[in-house]
Amino acid sequence: MPVVMFYATLRQLTGEKKKIVPGANLREILATLEQEFPGLQAFHGEAGRFRTTIVVNGTIINPEIAMDIPVSEADRIDIFPPIAGG
Amino acid sequence: MTGWNEKILDIDLTSGSIKTYPLDMNMARLFVGGRGLGGRLLWDLVGPGVDPLSPDNVLIFTNGPLTGTAYQTSNRFSVSTKSPLSGTILDANSGGFWGMQLKRTGYAALIVRGRSEKPVYIEIKGEQASIQNAAETWGLRVSEVTNKLGQDKNRRNVLCIGPAGEKLSRIAAIMNDGQRALGRGGSGAVMGSKNLKAIVVEGNQKTEISDPERYKFMVYETRKLLAASPLTSQALPEFGTAVMMNLVNNVGALATRNHQHNMFEGAEAISGETLSETYLVKNDACWACPIHCTRISKTGKTGEVEGPEFQTAWAFGAQCGIADLEAIIEANYLCNDLGFDTISAGSTVACAMELSEKGLVDSDLRFGRADLLSSTLEDMAYRRGLGVDMAEGSWRLAKQYGAPELSMSVKGLEMPAYDPRGMQGQGLLLATSNRGACHMRGNMLGLEVLGLPKLIDRFQIQGKSSYVILNQNSNAAIDSLVLCKFTSMGVADEYFARTLSAVTGIQYATGDMIKMGERVWNLERLYNLRAGFTSKDDTLPSRLLNEPAPDGPTKGWVVHLEPMLKEYYRARGWDANGVPTPQKLAELELKEL
């Protein structure tokens, strides 16, 4: 099972910095997390204005086309809520 | 026309003359305010042969038609001058209260020229300006002079330089309201060269608005949008800008140890999340800003102080190999009090660290030596020991010791936190930035990392130029309004155009805003070409063009600048040498330049 890392307000929502989450692909991982943390879905936001950023082993994932990529125990998934800065 | 103050205050410190004259309203219509108006005035006042630290250079402080209206973030102001660090056109803008107060005095711009024989400060009370003796404040640090000259919330506001500006450090900032900075490019040294310690403003004029009902509606709509965006209502207020640290690091684009690496093992320790858990006392805001991104931090040595921002935490953190947040907060405070640009100061320290590690400089500085930060900054401000050379910025420092390639700068201005080997578009943006490497002239972070408004491949080369150009033009427009760029994370350009129309009575469409930004960009380009810059200066440090990134997901990449640059010149409507064509200048109403 891959390790999921949380950042910013997601740490407040989940109460954790990291968690091992069952799931064979990103879609399943997010579904599991949304079940456990009902507020998570709200962070996904609205394409074009703000949204969650998902990074798998350093690769930024485009949620419109890559939610079904397989993930395994060796993978690290970073989930950032909508953030900004410069 | 409403919105603008239609007068310019012009003070010559050599002769002591104080004049006022009307603002050219056609110029105001075309360049609006802030960066645009300041740049256009500078074109006429400071020619290509002028030494930036001579009496012939000028400082032009500008506001805009929205400034002081209470529209969200309408607190900002700008300074334009010829940079002593890069030799390019320079503008820097800052928030806080001083800009709003300058607007209340009734002036659209304050021009300061010449050089006083003795240290002086300028006081503007309403429309009355005077030149005062600064013998009692010369030599003082920023916090001391700000208090001594009577900083009083939003009633009387102080802008000044610290010891770094007095000693003509080319990376000195001008500070306002205590801990806000007109940071980049060395404007503090220009002020120091004029023997000008401070400018104090007090005013009570209100900005006249053409269509108050429409304006009120825009304020209402903007408030709703900023409250609805999690970027401006959650991420920035709760974690500040340093919340970007982990993300930029995890994708392998966080410049580390003077760009020798592109990932920092201590990123979490210097992140916005860690700051919130440890030293953060509360957040704060500039005048008329609902976002509240300012950090108020506290350590045993500093008491409650502002910062650090993402770029500062990076400059003294990852770039110096330091994972000690307490030391970074203290370095940030010291920079503010001495009057340094934190990005350039941190990056110059990092450059000195690499020079020392390579045996090119005899010093104890090494990556990770947090214990030396404070004494090094003091030495830079007062020009002691190696600080004599470090006060000149990283490019002159590295050149002095025979290794100019170790300065991570473009046109002499130190680079921001991003390692462009992991963000190709950011590389093009930094290489073409008119004031040298700067992420505030446009930033590809949204498109290449955050997916805003859409995610594009950060390693893609072809097609990047059009995104970079749009970013640069849009930012030039926001800088000319003058607003905070964070508003654009909740509000589209269309809202800025509608608000500007409501305030001025001139109908600006969204396309007019972008065209105005393009006009400003081309004006700045012409200024630099006239000063002797060429397409050869649109480049990056050789490390980023030739040494593959060593770490993580960016491993193996260099910046492929050449093809992007060719595409960029074409898309800008410039010739192959990066010179705007006559057709482009005519299209932008810049024919007379």
Side-chain angles (χ1 to χ4, degrees):
Chain A
M1 291 184 284
V3 177
V4 176
M5 307 289 292
F6 302 109
Y7 297 90
T9 43
L10 289 185
R11 289 186 182 173
Q12 296 166 342
L13 177 75
T14 63
E16 301 184 55
K17 285 186 181 174
K18 70 176 177 181
K19 188 176 180 62
I20 299 199
V21 183
N25 56 42
L26 270 181
R27 193 181 302 281
E28 289 181 17
I29 299 263
L30 285 179
T32 302
L33 286 172
E34 281 161 13
Q35 204 164 20
E36 188 170 353
F37 307 109
L40 187 66
Q41 201 161 16
F43 284 95
H44 295 331
E46 183 184 324
R49 288 194 60 215
F50 47 82
R51 66 177 174 197
T52 302
T53 301
I54 300 171
V55 180
V56 179
N57 304 325
T59 300
I60 305 161
I61 299 300
N62 188 337
E64 274 103 55
I65 57 177
M67 292 301 277
D68 294 315
I69 60 163
V71 290
S72 68
E73 278 183 18
D75 291 324
R76 167 179 159 148
I77 302 168
D78 296 315
I79 307 184
F80 294 84
I83 56 175
Chain B
M1 281 187 273
T2 54
W4 285 279
N5 289 335
E6 298 188 10
K7 279 186 299 190
I8 291 176
L9 175 62
D10 192 328
I11 298 179
D12 186 335
L13 293 177
T14 304
S15 67
S17 84
I18 298 173
K19 292 186 289 195
T20 63
Y21 43 84
L23 172 67
D24 177 337
M25 293 313 293
N26 188 48
M27 186 187 288
R29 178 184 65 81
L30 288 171
F31 296 92
V32 183
R35 173 178 166 186
L37 179 61
R40 181 62 188 84
L41 290 167
L42 191 77
W43 173 271
D44 289 340
L45 293 173
V46 179
V50 171
D51 174 351
L53 295 180
S54 75
D56 291 336
N57 198 4
V58 302
L59 289 163
I60 306 171
F61 298 91
T62 48
N63 51 54
L66 302 187
T67 312
T69 61
Y71 183 72
Q72 286 81 359
T73 79
S74 64
N75 54 72
R76 298 190 78 84
F77 70 105
S78 189
V79 67
S80 294
T81 190
K82 185 175 182 183
S83 168
L85 184 64
S86 62
T88 63
I89 190 169
L90 172 68
D91 78 283
N93 69 61
S94 177
F97 296 82
W98 195 91
M100 166 278 296
Q101 198 70 249
L102 176 67
K103 182 76 180 287
R104 285 181 179 174
T105 65
Y107 295 107
L110 162 64
I111 298 172
V112 183
R113 58 177 95 207
R115 173 185 288 155
S116 170
E117 274 186 27
K118 293 181 177 173
V120 293
Y121 73 93
I122 293 169
E123 187 169 64
I124 308 170
K125 283 188 172 182
E127 294 188 3
Q128 296 302 309
S130 60
I131 301 170
Q132 306 279 343
N133 188 331
E136 287 186 12
T137 52
W138 196 258
L140 295 185
R141 295 183 181 225
V142 169
S143 57
E144 295 168 329
V145 67
T146 302
N147 290 333
K148 198 169 180 72
L149 292 180
Q151 171 84 10
D152 184 7
K153 295 179 182 165
N154 62 358
R155 289 184 283 274
R156 176 179 168 92
N157 298 95
V158 177
L159 171 149
C160 67
I161 54 170
E166 291 180 13
K167 298 283 185 185
L168 309 185
S169 167
R170 291 177 193 269
I171 56 172
I174 296 174
M175 306 298 297
N176 64 286
D177 302 303
Q179 297 181 64
R180 302 276 165 177
L182 295 150
R184 309 237 61 197
S187 61
V190 179
M191 198 157 149
S193 75
K194 298 188 177 306
N195 274 326
L196 177 61
K197 181 66 178 176
I199 304 172
V200 186
V201 285
E202 272 186 63
N204 54 20
Q205 291 194 25
K206 284 191 172 171
T207 298
E208 198 185 338
I209 289 169
S210 173
D211 186 341
E213 287 309 310
R214 195 169 158 210
Y215 162 76
K216 278 184 202 166
F217 178 72
M218 295 313 300
V219 172
Y220 169 76
E221 284 289 299
T222 301
R223 184 186 303 125
K224 269 200 317 188
L225 288 166
L226 292 175
S229 165
L231 305 179
T232 46
S233 66
Q234 290 176 5
L236 285 168
E238 290 190 30
F239 297 101
T241 52
V243 74
M244 296 310 307
M245 193 75 70
N246 280 312
L247 176 55
V248 176
N249 184 61
N250 291 4
V251 301
L254 190 70
T256 298
R257 294 183 176 84
N258 206 34
H259 288 69
Q260 292 181 96
H261 287 267
N262 54 299
M263 292 183 82
F264 183 45
E265 68 282 2
E268 171 70 28
I270 61 170
S271 67
E273 289 92 330
T274 301
L275 177 63
S276 294
E277 289 167 8
T278 53
Y279 300 101
L280 182 70
V281 177
K282 60 183 178 184
N283 61 3
D284 203 353
C286 300
W287 185 79
C289 177
I291 301 173
H292 287 68
C293 72
T294 303
R295 306 291 86 189
I296 303 295
S297 308
K298 184 179 182 183
T299 73
K301 286 187 188 167
T302 61
E304 290 190 11
V305 293
E306 286 192 17
E309 299 296 327
F310 170 50
Q311 295 294 340
T312 307
W314 160 79
F316 288 108
Q319 186 73 331
C320 290
I322 290 171
D324 180 343
L325 199 46
E326 186 173 9
I328 291 168
I329 292 168
E330 288 163 9
N332 178 49
Y333 174 67
L334 207 47
C335 281
N336 287 346
D337 218 24
L338 296 167
F340 276 125
D341 168 17
T342 57
I343 297 177
S344 285
S347 243
T348 299
V349 173
C351 178
M353 286 172 164
E354 187 172 356
L355 288 167
S356 298
E357 290 200 347
K358 287 188 158 52
L360 297 167
V361 162
D362 181 19
S363 122
D364 292 332
L365 284 169
R366 298 288 183 275
F367 289 110
R369 289 292 303 269
D371 58 311
L372 295 180
L373 281 183
S374 295
S375 59
T376 302
L377 289 169
E378 295 273 355
D379 286 348
M380 289 163 66
Y382 291 101
R383 290 192 180 254
R384 299 183 297 233
L386 185 59
V388 172
D389 296 326
M390 293 177 72
E392 295 289 294
S394 70
W395 189 80
R396 287 175 175 81
L397 171 74
K399 194 175 168 209
Q400 169 82 13
Y401 290 94
E405 71 279 6
L406 298 187
S407 166
M408 295 301 115
S409 60
V410 173
K411 302 181 179 77
L413 183 69
E414 287 74 14
M415 298 181 69
Y418 313 100
D419 189 324
R421 291 174 291 194
M423 297 168 66
Q424 296 287 315
Q426 195 81 317
L428 175 64
L429 191 142
L430 295 172
T432 55
S433 167
N434 284 328
R435 71 174 182 181
C438 179
H439 63 293
M440 299 302 285
R441 312 284 89 174
N443 196 332
M444 291 293 282
L445 183 71
L447 285 158
E448 293 191 317
V449 175
L450 294 170
L452 296 175
K454 65 175 183 176
L455 186 65
I456 59 173
D457 182 353
R458 62 198 174 106
F459 295 116
Q460 179 188 321
I461 310 297
Q462 200 174 14
K464 277 284 165 75
S465 63
S466 56
Y467 294 112
V468 167
I469 290 167
L470 188 60
N471 246 301
Q472 291 175 333
N473 292 348
S474 174
N475 279 20
I478 293 172
D479 284 342
S480 302
L481 283 172
V482 188
L483 295 175
C484 174
K485 295 186 181 77
F486 288 160
T487 51
S488 64
M489 292 170 180
V491 179
D493 286 348
E494 177 202 344
Y495 283 77
F496 301 140
R498 289 166 65 188
T499 307
L500 185 61
S501 303
V503 170
T504 63
I506 299 171
Q507 293 311 304
Y508 287 92
T510 308
D512 297 328
M513 299 298 301
I514 299 299
K515 177 144 279 190
M516 184 263 285
E518 186 182 8
R519 181 178 300 121
V520 172
W521 193 271
N522 277 267
L523 164 74
E524 293 169 342
R525 180 74 178 182
L526 290 175
Y527 189 98
N528 287 347
L529 291 169
R530 191 178 71 171
F533 287 86
T534 69
S535 59
K536 286 182 183 163
D537 298 298
D538 295 333
T539 189
L540 294 169
S542 60
R543 171 168 285 164
L544 307 177
L545 299 173
N546 301 308
E547 296 177 23
D551 306 316
T554 301
K555 189 171 181 173
W557 278 89
V558 295
V559 181
H560 296 281
L561 184 60
E562 196 60 32
M564 288 194 290
L565 200 54
K566 280 185 184 165
E567 187 186 83
Y568 175 90
Y569 288 164
R570 271 199 308 273
R572 273 264 174 225
W574 299 351
D575 70 17
N577 294 315
V579 178
T581 59
Q583 297 91 320
K584 176 53 71 178
L585 296 182
E587 177 193 324
L588 296 173
E589 299 181 64
L590 290 174
K591 263 194 310 188
E592 81 277 14
L593 303 187

